[in-house]
Amino acid sequence: IEMASSFVPSLGAVFQGIVENSSEYPIHQHNGLFPPTGSPTSDKFLSSLTVAMLILFFVMLRFSAGPFLHPSCGARIAASSYFYFNLCCSLLLWVASSTILTIIPHFSSHNNGMIAAALFFPMTFSSIAVLLFGRFAVRTFFYILVHSGFYLSKEKNYLSGANDRRRGMFKVKMPKMIAFQRPFRKLAKLAAIVSAGISLLHAHCWCQTLSVFKIKREDGAGAICRATFSLLASSSEGAEEKTIWFLWGTVMTVMILAFLHDELNGHHFGSEESFAFQLKGFKLVQKGPPDDSKIDDYLDYSSDDTESITEEPRQRFFSLRARNLDDVPQDTLPMVPWLSLFAAHSVIDMFLALKVFMGRVDARLMQPALEERNQLKPIPKIDKTKINDPAEIFTILQKKYPGCMYDYSSRKSAIDGGFWFDWMADCGDGFNSSYQVARLLAQQDITVEHNGVKKKLPRGDFLVLGGDLAYPEPNERSYEKRFFRTFEDAMAPPPSFRKSKIATNKLEICVKGWDKNKCFEEKESGDVSAVDMHPQYKGPSTFIVPGNHDWYDGLVTFTRFVLCRDFLGGWLMPQQRSYFAIKLVEGWWLFGLDCGLSSDIDIEQFKFFADVSENALRESDSVIIVNHEPHWVTDDDWGKDGDQRSERNISELMETYLRGKVRARFAGDLHHYTRHVPIKTVSKSKQRKRSRSLSPDRTSRKDWNQDESCRSERIEPFKEDNKPELIVSGGGGAFLHGTNGFAKDIKVGPKHLKYTRVAAYPNENVSTYLGWFIMYNFRWRGWRCDFLFASLYLGIVSSLIPLCGIYDDYEEFNPENEFWWLCVWLIKTVGTLCIRVFTSERFSLFCVLSFFFLTLALQSQEARVKPAQRFSLVFCHFFGHIFAALTCLVFIQCAAEWLVKDNIIILSSDTEKHPFTRSEGGLAGSLYDEYKEHFYPILKNFISWDPSPSPPVSLDAGFMTSVLMVIKSGIEIGRASLEFLFSHVPLLKTTLNIFDLPTVIAQNHQDMCSHLCANSVECFSSHDPMQFQSIKRELFVPYAAAFTLYFIFLAVPMAGSIFGTWLAVTLNIFKSHCDLAFSSLQIQHYKNFVKLHIKDDGELEIFAVGLRKVPTKWVKDHQYDRDSKNKKSALLDPSWSLNYPSKWIPKNPAKNQDPVIIDYTCIPKRRIKQY
């Protein structure tokens, strides 16, 4: 203590001398570029013009940072968006602050803002230096504590008496720690934020007339100024300016102490191994046998007992932190950013895979060939004259087509005696939407509501997935992260499930870890083992038809992860081919078709379904056909007819083998819900209702909750009258598609059967609103296109700079500054520049043509858009971008010449000086003058201080001697570093000149124009190439860099707005570009799926379930832990039998997140009229 008291006063004398000696440098009025008037209003921090400029600045900031500030944008949490956000904010702050500080003093009499800006830069550099040194000193101090054994003895008091023995027997194993300066960008940002806050405090409270910080209410001091400087005031007038450094030192001290606290509490360990070190304390490696058994017991951390962890506050903190990490989903993925370089990379990969490497190979032809090779003996043909038993026929077909046919005809629900199954498609996108749909499908039952009536819908015996399992391309990462992960969290697979396992025999079902008696039904013999265990399996299954995104690699990933895996979460995956036929109850069948990328089934599939239809189906049976793409909608949308139409093999199958038996068709691909029904052509008196429906658009229909039969509304039609209802349900998790971009009335098939849409979710009004929302929201969601827009816009104007004499041309054309003449002059100038681009500027012409072909490639392809309308949209879109780019160029060039002509910037006459070291005029010179007058004395005293010898310290003091000597040496190192940076290196001058973007543009613009326009040469409409090439690089490079910063912050938001407006117009007016428009929005709400119920009388009920909103924050369901772990037996109950099978639940549940019925229909079973 005596040693510390003798050393600390010497440090206090140092700071006291620095502050007291600064009084010899008088603080006087500013004598720089913008002298104040001396009026009382000069002390005001905010004038009306300043407020207006700050509002404009914050509007620009929010517009540029919108993708990350808007709560509905999930991509803001990604590392790339976080870096882009910091980059944009930093550059925008740079551009806006330099511009405001240049222009505001020209219109306002105060310069408190200039003084604050002059304080910001040296304080930021000092903050970074002090924080780096402080962190280094803390790390050194921590190592000394650890290796001396002092820290461990403090942690364990009852071992403090055995320090020497412990040091001799044990050595400390230090974990890997993060570097004290990491992450440096966070340290620099923290230093900048602190410096900016103190600088704003200085500007707000400084009084120029009194040369003190205001502390009196009558002087205009607010509550912040009085609370901050009242205790530091040296007189009744206020506090001296040097007290601002005292506040800064206090903040730095607190930050270093906070770093010390985190260091001693183990927050700075860098590896997973050291995380256990955080939870359990230091690990000691034994060097010899301990004498005390208590020490050995205490140092044993091999167990996972958490009771000892909660004994100490420090360890309890980390155990809570670990539980918090487990209580929220980790490593989740946001919605796929389709308009980005990432998606472009995926498109290139898919193109090469499809067109170069895959060629004409069709994986669907390989599947039956491989199955035939495994058959030991030929399957006999079916002779219906000899075989009449349907079960025997089904068994023969099942052996003939292994892995394709499944029998559910003997299963019925224990609730109502019917049979339930589910449908969902397009699920592999963002975690929030995909998991919410999977979670609802995993529940044993869900409660839905429509018009105030509630009904429980049970989980189906199997789930049919309609393709597009993972976006944007099929690979291992997208399948695992976007598809399997969501279903595994919704309903866990068996404990024996391994992701690397390849299922070679899907007839055997491995449920090791689950109670086998609860998973399988006992046969009559009492044995649950069989060759094919699927008929005895009680749990839910899933059947999947691949979509176009699953086919982009030739079905390779689909084959590996679907056809060769046993479980999708808690759903069994028994299928062995990409197509299948399922026999249901009451004479219903379900056919799953794989249309590949050819929009039709192949010949092998046709033979399979034709064989099943001819031999296994009875005359009165009904069929549900499911496939991925709704060609009945897309063919009408693209105007395909005749030989171009899709599904010609499917049409042949339906017209010959399934004539009149297809009662419903399901598809996905379009991420919304719609239902089309056939339009009757007979007279009204002969029309009879074919099905009972209920949808949001038709509220007059009877309620589906009433226990009524469809028989009273059903007719007994002929075969040709059994037209199927067409249902699109692709809301499993992918981005939303609006319904307003597709026709309501369509013509289907080769006979052009007329259908009309009777249900849509979301409806056309909501879809139209979301479509217009693109105008404003594209800039927020499509921020990944910024680089493309900035590159093309810069390329268009790169050959035109500088535009010498453009401001003189404007004043000559519009001397009265009238708005309409300004518009005329702008159009004339842009036209002149366009002519110049097409006649003399090669690189700009190349970029203009590139932009034109890009807009041409994005033209509408839908049949409903006429060619004249299509090309009109292309040219309007193209010229809108060209006009925006040239307008931004004209504005910046006019502003550069206006700054000089109105004497806002005083140019330097010495053009031979390096542009980064001159500071005679402009903003940089004014800021440097303010720094020299107000803040240089403090730094000069610190730099020139020669530390006096400290009192002699006894070396016997040991540990404290080392600590205090380190502090003293650190102060000397900091003083020497600041002296080097501020005296020998022009750090501040260089930084100020780089910061002064307006002066860089104005000065270099004037110098280049003086060179290009020498000898009175006209240089506005064209440049002499030889004169342009002779411009010095030190003039052009800083000018081009400063111009680029201003240009991109003006041009990129305009480009995004123009592109979004074009998308909104083409979508809502011309009903085109639905896919491109809605993929840019990445809307994760408005999801849907379908539950189907076959009643005991053979009627098919269809319940379309919609989700208005999906949760965006999740927490762990504690009921899930109790339900799955609190078991007396070693075997667990199957996850599908649990009341709470899902791992995560919404953190903030809301009413609009509840499932609701969006459509209902009841389809009667097909019946043949008897003659």
Side-chain angles (χ1 to χ4, degrees), residues 464-506:
V464 182
L465 295 179
D468 279 2
L469 307 181
Y471 296 98
E473 59 179 329
N475 54 45
E476 182 177 356
R477 181 178 183 273
S478 61
Y479 262 64
E480 290 287 3
K481 295 291 185 180
R482 297 188 181 274
F483 179 51
F484 279 92
R485 191 269 171 84
T486 56
F487 281 88
E488 289 169 359
D489 285 356
M491 190 162 62
S496 60
F497 173 76
R498 292 185 297 111
K499 294 182 178 180
S500 59
K501 179 183 177 181
I502 299 177
T504 57
N505 184 11
K506 284 201 169 186

Side-chain angles (χ1 to χ4, degrees), residues 259-490:
F259 186 83
L260 175 63
H261 174 270
D262 293 342
E263 186 88 357
L264 296 180
N265 282 275
H267 291 197
H268 299 153
F269 301 128
S271 62
E272 295 180 358
E273 178 184 356
S274 63
F275 187 72
F277 178 90
Q278 299 173 19
L279 296 176
K280 299 179 180 179
F282 289 99
K283 282 188 176 180
L284 302 182
V285 180
Q286 186 174 338
K287 296 169 66 176
D291 296 334
D292 192 352
S293 60
K294 292 183 179 180
I295 299 177
D296 184 55
D297 294 338
Y298 173 73
L299 297 177
D300 183 14
Y301 292 115
S302 58
S303 66
D304 293 331
D305 188 11
T306 58
E307 293 181 0
S308 60
I309 295 178
T310 60
E311 293 177 359
E312 301 180 19
R314 178 177 65 88
Q315 295 172 347
R316 181 170 65 249
F317 170 78
F318 281 104
S319 63
L320 289 174
R321 180 183 179 185
R323 284 199 297 270
N324 288 335
L325 292 177
D326 292 336
D327 286 347
V328 295
Q330 299 295 320
D331 197 23
T332 59
L333 297 179
M335 303 292 285
V336 174
W338 290 100
L339 298 183
S340 66
L341 295 178
F342 166 74
H345 177 267
S346 300
V347 170
I348 295 174
D349 286 347
M350 291 184 290
F351 175 80
L352 293 176
L354 287 172
K355 300 299 182 181
V356 178
F357 298 104
M358 244 186 67
R360 295 295 180 180
V361 178
D362 194 337
R364 296 174 295 182
L365 301 177
M366 303 295 294
Q367 296 171 10
L370 295 175
E371 294 295 342
E372 290 177 2
R373 184 186 62 182
N374 297 329
Q375 293 179 358
L376 300 179
K377 57 183 180 179
I379 305 299
K381 294 183 179 181
I382 299 175
D383 188 356
K384 286 190 174 182
T385 60
K386 299 180 180 180
I387 304 176
N388 296 323
D389 186 8
E392 185 178 357
I393 295 175
F394 185 89
T395 302
I396 295 175
L397 290 173
Q398 197 173 28
K399 292 180 179 180
K400 185 177 181 181
Y401 304 101
C404 290
M405 299 190 64
Y406 303 91
D407 188 4
Y408 281 82
S409 59
S410 60
R411 299 192 184 186
K412 287 194 176 184
S413 173
I415 300 176
D416 55 4
F419 181 81
W420 290 83
F421 61 99
D422 303 328
W423 161 269
M424 187 260 282
D426 303 274
C427 53
D429 207 326
F431 175 82
N432 294 329
S433 54
S434 300
Y435 173 74
Q436 174 68 349
V437 175
R439 186 179 74 90
L440 293 177
L441 290 170
Q443 307 304 309
Q444 291 194 5
D445 56 68
I446 60 174
T447 302
V448 295
E449 181 178 353
H450 183 81
N451 293 339
V453 181
K454 293 184 178 181
K455 183 181 180 65
K456 284 189 175 182
L457 305 179
R459 181 178 59 212
D461 282 11
F462 64 83
L463 167 66
V464 182
L465 295 179
D468 279 2
L469 307 181
Y471 296 98
E473 59 179 329
N475 54 45
E476 182 177 356
R477 181 178 183 273
S478 61
Y479 262 64
E480 290 287 3
K481 295 291 185 180
R482 297 188 181 274
F483 179 51
F484 279 92
R485 191 269 171 84
T486 56
F487 281 88
E488 289 169 359
D489 285 356

